[in-house]
Amino acid sequence: MGSHLPDDILVPHLKSIFDLSYARVMLIQFAFFGAYFIFSLPSAKIIDWIGYQRSMVLGLLMMGLVRSCSYRRRVSRYPLFLER
């Protein structure tokens, strides 16, 4: 059974770049899919509360807001953004 998620494509590269064991790589997979499980119930409540179409608009607005905040941060403090 194949998967078309970017996470599956990144796992071999992450394993080689960061010298991760197989167990740690599977923890990345677990965290990725665990996020779906954790956020599915609250998301379903929001969809029931405001409706499907409005929840789509809300999601797009939230993604735009996060993206604009991230863009301003990279443009204004690019060297600081890369520091640890």
Side-chain angles (χ1 to χ4, degrees), residues 38-54:
I38 290 169
F39 286 100
S40 65
L41 293 176
S43 299
K45 296 288 184 188
I46 292 172
I47 291 171
D48 286 342
W49 184 47
I50 64 173
Y52 182 73
Q53 290 179 338
R54 288 187 179 142

Side-chain angles (χ1 to χ4, degrees), residues 19-36:
D19 194 31
L20 297 174
S21 67
Y22 185 75
R24 289 187 178 195
V25 169
M26 288 300 109
L27 284 174
I28 294 171
Q29 293 279 65
F30 178 75
F32 186 78
F33 290 110
Y36 279 120

Side-chain angles (χ1 to χ4, degrees), residues 3 10 23 25 27 34 42 45-46 61-63 77-78 84:
S3 179
L10 289 175
V25 169
L27 284 174
K45 296 288 184 188
I46 292 172
L61 290 173
M62 289 174 65
M63 286 189 288
R77 298 183 222 145
Y78 191 71
R84 290 184 179 196

